[in-house]
Amino acid sequence: MSFDGLFTKAMSEELGDTLKGGRINKIHQPYKNEIILVVRSQGKNHKLLLSAHPSYARAQLTSQSYENPAAPPMFCMLLRKHLEGYIIEDVYQKEVDRIIIFEIKGRSEIGDVSYKQLIIEIMGRHSNIVVVDKSRNMILDSIKHIPPSINSYRTVLPGNEYIFPPPQDKKNPLEADSEDILRSIDFNSGKLDKQIVGSFSGISPLFAKEVLHQAGLATRNSLPNTFLQLLKPVKEGVYQPTLIRGDKETFYFLDLQHLEGEHTSFPTLSGLLDRYFHQKAERDRVKQQGNDLERLLKNERDKNISKIAKLEKTLKDAENADTYQLYGELLTANLYAVERGMSEIEVMNYYDEEGGTVVIELDTRKSPSENAQYYFSRYSKAKTAIRIVKEQIEKAKEEIQYLDQLLQQLESASPKDILEIREELGEEGYIKAKKEKKKKKTNEKPSLESYLSSDGTAILVGKNNKQNDYLTNKLAGKEEIWLHTKDIPGSHVVIRSKAPSEETIKEAAVLAAYFSKARESSSVPVDFTAVRNVKKPNGAKRGFVTYEGQQTVYTTPSLDTVRSMKKD
C-alpha cells in the first residue's frame, strides 16, 4: 500500500503549502467518484483532484485534463452551492490516518460567515469525500452514501452527524522513541515487518520492509535506529518522491532501497502521482464504459475464427471436385456396362498412365445416365463452392482484422473515444444505433491527439477509426509523412511536415508503436511513407488502408516519451 498514513501526511503538507489562502473558483465532477476543484492560489490556478475510487483513491494536484459530463451530478451541484467562492484556510491530516481535512471559510447566500470542512477518506473501497457544516458537525452530503444497514458504527448520509472512522488503537510512529519500538516488537516471534505494521498507525508493509532492509540483521539496536532514521524526513517535511519500475510499478514519498528496478525521482508528490496514475484510472473508467463493447467484439471475433475453421473444412471437401469430374466422365464412357440397381462398378481409368482401375459408387435408384449426371452436378457445385468459400474466408479474415483494430483502440481509448467507437459499431450494424434527439452537426470534426517532436514539429494521432479516416484521408497533406505499425493493429500517425528530421520520425514511430497492439513489446516495426502513397480501397471498412513506398524503423514504446511530447 503506497498511499499509507505517512504518504498522506506528506501529501497534506504539499497541498497545504500550495493551496492555503486559495479561493475555490470552479468545481467539476468528471467521473462518478472524482472531484476537481480549481483553486486560485499564489497567483496561479491549481487543479485539485480528490478521488474516492475503490482502487485509485487519492488527493493530489494534477496537470491532467478531464472531460466533464454535459450535466453535472447532484453532488457536484451541492459542492458548487456550498464551496464555490470559499477560501481554503487550512489543509491537514487527522493524526496519522489516511484522512485529509480541508478547512474552508466563506459567506452563505444571506452573507453570514460560514465554515465548512471537506474531508477526504482514502481507504480503498471504503474511500469517501464528505462535505460537513462545521458549526453543526452535520454532513451536507457525500460522494458515497453509507446507510445504517451497511455500517452500524457510522452513518454517512445528509443531515447526520459526521463521525470519523473507528480508531485502530495503534501507536503514533511520529511520537515513538526507541523504547516504544522495542516494547512493540517481539524479536523471537519473527515476521517483524508484520509486527511493525500491526503496532504503528499509518505504516504500510512497504515502509516496514524498508526498515528491515536497511537495518540488515535486525537487532534491538539496529531496528529502532533505522525506524527512527526513516521517519526523520517525515518529521522534517523533506521528501524524495520516487517511482520504482520493477516487476510492477510502485511509488512512495522516499526512495525504497529494498525494491529492485528503475528508480525515478520527482520534484513533487503530485507530479509522482500524475505519472503513476497516468492512464491507470482512465483505463479503469474506459473498461467500465466499454466493457460491453469489448465483450461484443471478442464474441464476434471468436465467431469469425469458428466460421473460418468450418469454411476451411468445406473447402477441403470441395477440393474433391476433380474426382467427381473423373467419375462422371468414366461412367459416361462405360454406360453400356452399367446396369440399373448396381451399387458400384469397377472401370478402367483412361487417365492413369499405368492403366489402373477405379471403383465408382452408384445410387441403386438411379439409371446409369443419372448416376453420371449426379457426379457432373457435384463437380459443378464443388467448383462454385471453392470460389464462394474462398471469398467468405477472405471476408472473415478482414472482419477479424477490423475487430482486432477496434479491440486495440479500446485499449488506448479515452471516454470520448469510447462514444465514437460505440457510434461506429452502431453504424456498422454490430449494435443497435441510438436515435439522437438532435441531429449532429455535419461539419463536426473528430478530435485528434496532438504532440510535438523535440524540434517542434507537430504530430497528430488518430485513436479510433473515425479519427484515422479523417486524419489520413482529409486532413493530412499529400506530402506529409504517415506512420503505422507494420502488420499490427494501431493508430494512424501523421507528421505535419514534408521533410521531417530523422529524430522526428523516430519520435513519431514511438507514438505509432505506443498506440498499437504492440504497446508492451520492444523493437516494434513501424512503416512510414508519404500520405499520397496511402489509399483506402473502395468498400473497405473504416480505418483500413493500403500503402506502398514505405520504409521501416524499429522502436520501443515509451510512456515517458509520449508524455514529454504531449501538447497541452
Side-chain angles (χ1 to χ4, degrees), residues 86-112:
Y86 279 49
I87 303 298
I88 297 176
E89 290 198 315
D90 199 6
V91 182
Y92 59 92
Q93 176 189 26
K94 181 185 182 295
E95 298 172 357
V96 200
D97 292 334
R98 287 177 291 160
I99 298 175
I100 299 178
I101 302 171
F102 291 81
E103 297 286 355
I104 301 173
K105 176 185 177 182
R107 291 190 176 275
S108 66
E109 295 174 347
I110 59 174
D112 294 337

PDB file of all heavy atoms in Angstrom, residues 86-112:
ATOM      1  N   TYR A  86     -15.398  30.106  -1.863  1.00  0.00           N
ATOM      2  CA  TYR A  86     -14.883  29.997  -0.493  1.00  0.00           C
ATOM      3  C   TYR A  86     -13.349  29.942  -0.495  1.00  0.00           C
ATOM      4  O   TYR A  86     -12.720  29.630  -1.515  1.00  0.00           O
ATOM      5  CB  TYR A  86     -15.450  28.750   0.186  1.00  0.00           C
ATOM      6  CG  TYR A  86     -16.853  28.918   0.739  1.00  0.00           C
ATOM      7  CD1 TYR A  86     -17.881  29.469  -0.022  1.00  0.00           C
ATOM      8  CD2 TYR A  86     -17.151  28.521   2.038  1.00  0.00           C
ATOM      9  CE1 TYR A  86     -19.158  29.616   0.472  1.00  0.00           C
ATOM     10  CE2 TYR A  86     -18.434  28.657   2.560  1.00  0.00           C
ATOM     11  CZ  TYR A  86     -19.435  29.203   1.767  1.00  0.00           C
ATOM     12  OH  TYR A  86     -20.696  29.343   2.285  1.00  0.00           O
ATOM     13  N   ILE A  87     -12.764  30.208   0.667  1.00  0.00           N
ATOM     14  CA  ILE A  87     -11.315  30.228   0.839  1.00  0.00           C
ATOM     15  C   ILE A  87     -10.870  28.994   1.621  1.00  0.00           C
ATOM     16  O   ILE A  87     -11.481  28.621   2.628  1.00  0.00           O
ATOM     17  CB  ILE A  87     -10.862  31.497   1.600  1.00  0.00           C
ATOM     18  CG1 ILE A  87     -11.344  32.757   0.875  1.00  0.00           C
ATOM     19  CG2 ILE A  87      -9.341  31.512   1.759  1.00  0.00           C
ATOM     20  CD1 ILE A  87     -10.793  32.938  -0.517  1.00  0.00           C
ATOM     21  N   ILE A  88      -9.796  28.363   1.162  1.00  0.00           N
ATOM     22  CA  ILE A  88      -9.209  27.240   1.895  1.00  0.00           C
ATOM     23  C   ILE A  88      -8.290  27.806   2.976  1.00  0.00           C
ATOM     24  O   ILE A  88      -7.230  28.373   2.675  1.00  0.00           O
ATOM     25  CB  ILE A  88      -8.426  26.312   0.948  1.00  0.00           C
ATOM     26  CG1 ILE A  88      -9.365  25.688  -0.095  1.00  0.00           C
ATOM     27  CG2 ILE A  88      -7.717  25.206   1.736  1.00  0.00           C
ATOM     28  CD1 ILE A  88      -8.668  24.828  -1.132  1.00  0.00           C
ATOM     29  N   GLU A  89      -8.702  27.681   4.224  1.00  0.00           N
ATOM     30  CA  GLU A  89      -7.916  28.245   5.331  1.00  0.00           C
ATOM     31  C   GLU A  89      -6.821  27.305   5.816  1.00  0.00           C
ATOM     32  O   GLU A  89      -5.787  27.762   6.293  1.00  0.00           O
ATOM     33  CB  GLU A  89      -8.841  28.602   6.496  1.00  0.00           C
ATOM     34  CG  GLU A  89      -9.760  29.788   6.216  1.00  0.00           C
ATOM     35  CD  GLU A  89     -10.314  30.382   7.497  1.00  0.00           C
ATOM     36  OE1 GLU A  89     -10.743  29.598   8.371  1.00  0.00           O
ATOM     37  OE2 GLU A  89     -10.293  31.620   7.624  1.00  0.00           O
ATOM     38  N   ASP A  90      -7.067  26.023   5.711  1.00  0.00           N
ATOM     39  CA  ASP A  90      -6.055  25.086   6.212  1.00  0.00           C
ATOM     40  C   ASP A  90      -6.257  23.716   5.559  1.00  0.00           C
ATOM     41  O   ASP A  90      -7.367  23.368   5.121  1.00  0.00           O
ATOM     42  CB  ASP A  90      -6.176  24.953   7.739  1.00  0.00           C
ATOM     43  CG  ASP A  90      -4.910  24.377   8.363  1.00  0.00           C
ATOM     44  OD1 ASP A  90      -3.909  24.201   7.631  1.00  0.00           O
ATOM     45  OD2 ASP A  90      -4.924  24.097   9.584  1.00  0.00           O
ATOM     46  N   VAL A  91      -5.158  22.967   5.485  1.00  0.00           N
ATOM     47  CA  VAL A  91      -5.185  21.587   4.992  1.00  0.00           C
ATOM     48  C   VAL A  91      -4.336  20.765   5.953  1.00  0.00           C
ATOM     49  O   VAL A  91      -3.169  21.090   6.186  1.00  0.00           O
ATOM     50  CB  VAL A  91      -4.603  21.462   3.565  1.00  0.00           C
ATOM     51  CG1 VAL A  91      -4.710  20.018   3.075  1.00  0.00           C
ATOM     52  CG2 VAL A  91      -5.303  22.404   2.599  1.00  0.00           C
ATOM     53  N   TYR A  92      -4.913  19.728   6.512  1.00  0.00           N
ATOM     54  CA  TYR A  92      -4.143  18.922   7.458  1.00  0.00           C
ATOM     55  C   TYR A  92      -4.671  17.490   7.490  1.00  0.00           C
ATOM     56  O   TYR A  92      -5.756  17.188   7.004  1.00  0.00           O
ATOM     57  CB  TYR A  92      -4.185  19.536   8.861  1.00  0.00           C
ATOM     58  CG  TYR A  92      -5.574  19.688   9.442  1.00  0.00           C
ATOM     59  CD1 TYR A  92      -6.148  18.698  10.226  1.00  0.00           C
ATOM     60  CD2 TYR A  92      -6.330  20.849   9.185  1.00  0.00           C
ATOM     61  CE1 TYR A  92      -7.429  18.842  10.758  1.00  0.00           C
ATOM     62  CE2 TYR A  92      -7.603  21.001   9.711  1.00  0.00           C
ATOM     63  CZ  TYR A  92      -8.148  19.994  10.488  1.00  0.00           C
ATOM     64  OH  TYR A  92      -9.411  20.136  11.010  1.00  0.00           O
ATOM     65  N   GLN A  93      -3.858  16.647   8.096  1.00  0.00           N
ATOM     66  CA  GLN A  93      -4.189  15.232   8.226  1.00  0.00           C
ATOM     67  C   GLN A  93      -4.728  14.956   9.616  1.00  0.00           C
ATOM     68  O   GLN A  93      -4.290  15.559  10.594  1.00  0.00           O
ATOM     69  CB  GLN A  93      -2.924  14.392   7.991  1.00  0.00           C
ATOM     70  CG  GLN A  93      -3.087  12.901   8.193  1.00  0.00           C
ATOM     71  CD  GLN A  93      -1.743  12.175   8.165  1.00  0.00           C
ATOM     72  OE1 GLN A  93      -0.713  12.780   8.466  1.00  0.00           O
ATOM     73  NE2 GLN A  93      -1.746  10.912   7.797  1.00  0.00           N
ATOM     74  N   LYS A  94      -5.670  14.049   9.713  1.00  0.00           N
ATOM     75  CA  LYS A  94      -6.156  13.611  11.026  1.00  0.00           C
ATOM     76  C   LYS A  94      -5.181  12.587  11.580  1.00  0.00           C
ATOM     77  O   LYS A  94      -5.081  11.466  11.072  1.00  0.00           O
ATOM     78  CB  LYS A  94      -7.551  13.006  10.933  1.00  0.00           C
ATOM     79  CG  LYS A  94      -8.099  12.554  12.293  1.00  0.00           C
ATOM     80  CD  LYS A  94      -9.430  11.842  12.143  1.00  0.00           C
ATOM     81  CE  LYS A  94      -9.973  11.446  13.511  1.00  0.00           C
ATOM     82  NZ  LYS A  94      -9.109  10.436  14.185  1.00  0.00           N
ATOM     83  N   GLU A  95      -4.467  12.981  12.629  1.00  0.00           N
ATOM     84  CA  GLU A  95      -3.462  12.121  13.266  1.00  0.00           C
ATOM     85  C   GLU A  95      -2.557  11.523  12.184  1.00  0.00           C
ATOM     86  O   GLU A  95      -1.982  12.254  11.402  1.00  0.00           O
ATOM     87  CB  GLU A  95      -4.158  11.059  14.133  1.00  0.00           C
ATOM     88  CG  GLU A  95      -4.978  11.697  15.261  1.00  0.00           C
ATOM     89  CD  GLU A  95      -5.837  10.709  16.014  1.00  0.00           C
ATOM     90  OE1 GLU A  95      -5.871   9.509  15.643  1.00  0.00           O
ATOM     91  OE2 GLU A  95      -6.489  11.137  16.983  1.00  0.00           O
ATOM     92  N   VAL A  96      -2.431  10.175  12.143  1.00  0.00           N
ATOM     93  CA  VAL A  96      -1.632   9.582  11.065  1.00  0.00           C
ATOM     94  C   VAL A  96      -2.537   8.700  10.193  1.00  0.00           C
ATOM     95  O   VAL A  96      -2.098   7.742   9.572  1.00  0.00           O
ATOM     96  CB  VAL A  96      -0.457   8.740  11.628  1.00  0.00           C
ATOM     97  CG1 VAL A  96       0.626   8.546  10.552  1.00  0.00           C
ATOM     98  CG2 VAL A  96       0.176   9.411  12.829  1.00  0.00           C
ATOM     99  N   ASP A  97      -3.812   9.048  10.168  1.00  0.00           N
ATOM    100  CA  ASP A  97      -4.778   8.290   9.364  1.00  0.00           C
ATOM    101  C   ASP A  97      -4.746   8.767   7.911  1.00  0.00           C
ATOM    102  O   ASP A  97      -4.238   9.854   7.607  1.00  0.00           O
ATOM    103  CB  ASP A  97      -6.194   8.468   9.920  1.00  0.00           C
ATOM    104  CG  ASP A  97      -6.363   7.809  11.278  1.00  0.00           C
ATOM    105  OD1 ASP A  97      -5.617   6.853  11.556  1.00  0.00           O
ATOM    106  OD2 ASP A  97      -7.220   8.262  12.048  1.00  0.00           O
ATOM    107  N   ARG A  98      -5.337   7.978   7.040  1.00  0.00           N
ATOM    108  CA  ARG A  98      -5.434   8.368   5.619  1.00  0.00           C
ATOM    109  C   ARG A  98      -6.672   9.246   5.422  1.00  0.00           C
ATOM    110  O   ARG A  98      -7.573   8.931   4.646  1.00  0.00           O
ATOM    111  CB  ARG A  98      -5.487   7.120   4.745  1.00  0.00           C
ATOM    112  CG  ARG A  98      -4.151   6.398   4.642  1.00  0.00           C
ATOM    113  CD  ARG A  98      -4.245   5.138   3.846  1.00  0.00           C
ATOM    114  NE  ARG A  98      -5.029   4.125   4.538  1.00  0.00           N
ATOM    115  CZ  ARG A  98      -5.600   3.088   3.950  1.00  0.00           C
ATOM    116  NH1 ARG A  98      -5.536   2.949   2.627  1.00  0.00           N
ATOM    117  NH2 ARG A  98      -6.280   2.201   4.639  1.00  0.00           N
ATOM    118  N   ILE A  99      -6.680  10.333   6.151  1.00  0.00           N
ATOM    119  CA  ILE A  99      -7.790  11.288   6.095  1.00  0.00           C
ATOM    120  C   ILE A  99      -7.204  12.690   5.997  1.00  0.00           C
ATOM    121  O   ILE A  99      -6.362  13.081   6.814  1.00  0.00           O
ATOM    122  CB  ILE A  99      -8.687  11.180   7.347  1.00  0.00           C
ATOM    123  CG1 ILE A  99      -9.321   9.786   7.432  1.00  0.00           C
ATOM    124  CG2 ILE A  99      -9.768  12.253   7.319  1.00  0.00           C
ATOM    125  CD1 ILE A  99     -10.129   9.553   8.695  1.00  0.00           C
ATOM    126  N   ILE A 100      -7.622  13.424   4.977  1.00  0.00           N
ATOM    127  CA  ILE A 100      -7.181  14.819   4.791  1.00  0.00           C
ATOM    128  C   ILE A 100      -8.391  15.718   4.950  1.00  0.00           C
ATOM    129  O   ILE A 100      -9.452  15.467   4.369  1.00  0.00           O
ATOM    130  CB  ILE A 100      -6.529  15.017   3.408  1.00  0.00           C
ATOM    131  CG1 ILE A 100      -5.289  14.130   3.271  1.00  0.00           C
ATOM    132  CG2 ILE A 100      -6.149  16.481   3.201  1.00  0.00           C
ATOM    133  CD1 ILE A 100      -4.614  14.224   1.919  1.00  0.00           C
ATOM    134  N   ILE A 101      -8.207  16.778   5.744  1.00  0.00           N
ATOM    135  CA  ILE A 101      -9.312  17.712   6.040  1.00  0.00           C
ATOM    136  C   ILE A 101      -8.970  19.088   5.467  1.00  0.00           C
ATOM    137  O   ILE A 101      -7.892  19.621   5.723  1.00  0.00           O
ATOM    138  CB  ILE A 101      -9.552  17.816   7.558  1.00  0.00           C
ATOM    139  CG1 ILE A 101      -9.866  16.425   8.127  1.00  0.00           C
ATOM    140  CG2 ILE A 101     -10.691  18.790   7.851  1.00  0.00           C
ATOM    141  CD1 ILE A 101      -9.909  16.378   9.639  1.00  0.00           C
ATOM    142  N   PHE A 102      -9.887  19.625   4.692  1.00  0.00           N
ATOM    143  CA  PHE A 102      -9.764  20.991   4.176  1.00  0.00           C
ATOM    144  C   PHE A 102     -10.700  21.882   4.992  1.00  0.00           C
ATOM    145  O   PHE A 102     -11.918  21.649   5.014  1.00  0.00           O
ATOM    146  CB  PHE A 102     -10.157  21.057   2.699  1.00  0.00           C
ATOM    147  CG  PHE A 102      -9.201  20.356   1.774  1.00  0.00           C
ATOM    148  CD1 PHE A 102      -9.259  18.973   1.609  1.00  0.00           C
ATOM    149  CD2 PHE A 102      -8.243  21.069   1.069  1.00  0.00           C
ATOM    150  CE1 PHE A 102      -8.387  18.319   0.765  1.00  0.00           C
ATOM    151  CE2 PHE A 102      -7.357  20.421   0.208  1.00  0.00           C
ATOM    152  CZ  PHE A 102      -7.429  19.037   0.057  1.00  0.00           C
ATOM    153  N   GLU A 103     -10.130  22.861   5.696  1.00  0.00           N
ATOM    154  CA  GLU A 103     -10.934  23.846   6.428  1.00  0.00           C
ATOM    155  C   GLU A 103     -11.249  24.992   5.483  1.00  0.00           C
ATOM    156  O   GLU A 103     -10.341  25.632   4.928  1.00  0.00           O
ATOM    157  CB  GLU A 103     -10.160  24.364   7.651  1.00  0.00           C
ATOM    158  CG  GLU A 103      -9.852  23.302   8.690  1.00  0.00           C
ATOM    159  CD  GLU A 103     -11.071  22.898   9.508  1.00  0.00           C
ATOM    160  OE1 GLU A 103     -12.137  23.525   9.329  1.00  0.00           O
ATOM    161  OE2 GLU A 103     -10.959  21.951  10.311  1.00  0.00           O
ATOM    162  N   ILE A 104     -12.544  25.248   5.281  1.00  0.00           N
ATOM    163  CA  ILE A 104     -12.972  26.186   4.240  1.00  0.00           C
ATOM    164  C   ILE A 104     -13.903  27.242   4.847  1.00  0.00           C
ATOM    165  O   ILE A 104     -14.813  26.928   5.615  1.00  0.00           O
ATOM    166  CB  ILE A 104     -13.682  25.418   3.103  1.00  0.00           C
ATOM    167  CG1 ILE A 104     -12.722  24.382   2.513  1.00  0.00           C
ATOM    168  CG2 ILE A 104     -14.168  26.369   2.020  1.00  0.00           C
ATOM    169  CD1 ILE A 104     -13.345  23.451   1.509  1.00  0.00           C
ATOM    170  N   LYS A 105     -13.646  28.497   4.469  1.00  0.00           N
ATOM    171  CA  LYS A 105     -14.417  29.616   5.017  1.00  0.00           C
ATOM    172  C   LYS A 105     -14.997  30.447   3.882  1.00  0.00           C
ATOM    173  O   LYS A 105     -14.338  30.698   2.871  1.00  0.00           O
ATOM    174  CB  LYS A 105     -13.519  30.488   5.897  1.00  0.00           C
ATOM    175  CG  LYS A 105     -14.191  31.739   6.446  1.00  0.00           C
ATOM    176  CD  LYS A 105     -13.187  32.602   7.210  1.00  0.00           C
ATOM    177  CE  LYS A 105     -13.815  33.893   7.692  1.00  0.00           C
ATOM    178  NZ  LYS A 105     -12.831  34.760   8.405  1.00  0.00           N
ATOM    179  N   GLY A 106     -16.233  30.877   4.079  1.00  0.00           N
ATOM    180  CA  GLY A 106     -16.865  31.743   3.084  1.00  0.00           C
ATOM    181  C   GLY A 106     -18.108  32.380   3.655  1.00  0.00           C
ATOM    182  O   GLY A 106     -18.314  32.394   4.873  1.00  0.00           O
ATOM    183  N   ARG A 107     -18.915  32.899   2.778  1.00  0.00           N
ATOM    184  CA  ARG A 107     -20.169  33.526   3.218  1.00  0.00           C
ATOM    185  C   ARG A 107     -21.346  32.822   2.577  1.00  0.00           C
ATOM    186  O   ARG A 107     -21.303  32.446   1.404  1.00  0.00           O
ATOM    187  CB  ARG A 107     -20.194  35.021   2.879  1.00  0.00           C
ATOM    188  CG  ARG A 107     -19.198  35.822   3.710  1.00  0.00           C
ATOM    189  CD  ARG A 107     -19.394  37.315   3.550  1.00  0.00           C
ATOM    190  NE  ARG A 107     -18.493  38.058   4.422  1.00  0.00           N
ATOM    191  CZ  ARG A 107     -18.734  38.351   5.697  1.00  0.00           C
ATOM    192  NH1 ARG A 107     -19.894  37.981   6.237  1.00  0.00           N
ATOM    193  NH2 ARG A 107     -17.861  39.017   6.427  1.00  0.00           N
ATOM    194  N   SER A 108     -22.383  32.633   3.358  1.00  0.00           N
ATOM    195  CA  SER A 108     -23.587  31.976   2.872  1.00  0.00           C
ATOM    196  C   SER A 108     -24.347  32.894   1.931  1.00  0.00           C
ATOM    197  O   SER A 108     -23.960  34.048   1.711  1.00  0.00           O
ATOM    198  CB  SER A 108     -24.473  31.572   4.050  1.00  0.00           C
ATOM    199  OG  SER A 108     -24.953  32.736   4.708  1.00  0.00           O
ATOM    200  N   GLU A 109     -25.458  32.396   1.421  1.00  0.00           N
ATOM    201  CA  GLU A 109     -26.265  33.170   0.474  1.00  0.00           C
ATOM    202  C   GLU A 109     -26.811  34.455   1.090  1.00  0.00           C
ATOM    203  O   GLU A 109     -27.099  35.419   0.384  1.00  0.00           O
ATOM    204  CB  GLU A 109     -27.416  32.298  -0.042  1.00  0.00           C
ATOM    205  CG  GLU A 109     -26.948  31.111  -0.870  1.00  0.00           C
ATOM    206  CD  GLU A 109     -28.084  30.183  -1.234  1.00  0.00           C
ATOM    207  OE1 GLU A 109     -29.180  30.341  -0.635  1.00  0.00           O
ATOM    208  OE2 GLU A 109     -27.906  29.325  -2.111  1.00  0.00           O
ATOM    209  N   ILE A 110     -26.981  34.444   2.408  1.00  0.00           N
ATOM    210  CA  ILE A 110     -27.500  35.664   3.067  1.00  0.00           C
ATOM    211  C   ILE A 110     -26.378  36.508   3.661  1.00  0.00           C
ATOM    212  O   ILE A 110     -26.627  37.469   4.379  1.00  0.00           O
ATOM    213  CB  ILE A 110     -28.521  35.286   4.156  1.00  0.00           C
ATOM    214  CG1 ILE A 110     -27.878  34.385   5.215  1.00  0.00           C
ATOM    215  CG2 ILE A 110     -29.726  34.619   3.550  1.00  0.00           C
ATOM    216  CD1 ILE A 110     -28.803  34.089   6.398  1.00  0.00           C
ATOM    217  N   GLY A 111     -25.118  36.150   3.360  1.00  0.00           N
ATOM    218  CA  GLY A 111     -23.989  36.973   3.765  1.00  0.00           C
ATOM    219  C   GLY A 111     -23.348  36.613   5.085  1.00  0.00           C
ATOM    220  O   GLY A 111     -22.378  37.259   5.488  1.00  0.00           O
ATOM    221  N   ASP A 112     -23.834  35.599   5.775  1.00  0.00           N
ATOM    222  CA  ASP A 112     -23.237  35.197   7.056  1.00  0.00           C
ATOM    223  C   ASP A 112     -21.961  34.399   6.809  1.00  0.00           C
ATOM    224  O   ASP A 112     -21.852  33.651   5.834  1.00  0.00           O
ATOM    225  CB  ASP A 112     -24.208  34.341   7.861  1.00  0.00           C
ATOM    226  CG  ASP A 112     -25.432  35.138   8.304  1.00  0.00           C
ATOM    227  OD1 ASP A 112     -25.335  36.378   8.370  1.00  0.00           O
ATOM    228  OD2 ASP A 112     -26.495  34.511   8.557  1.00  0.00           O
TER     229      ASP A 112
END
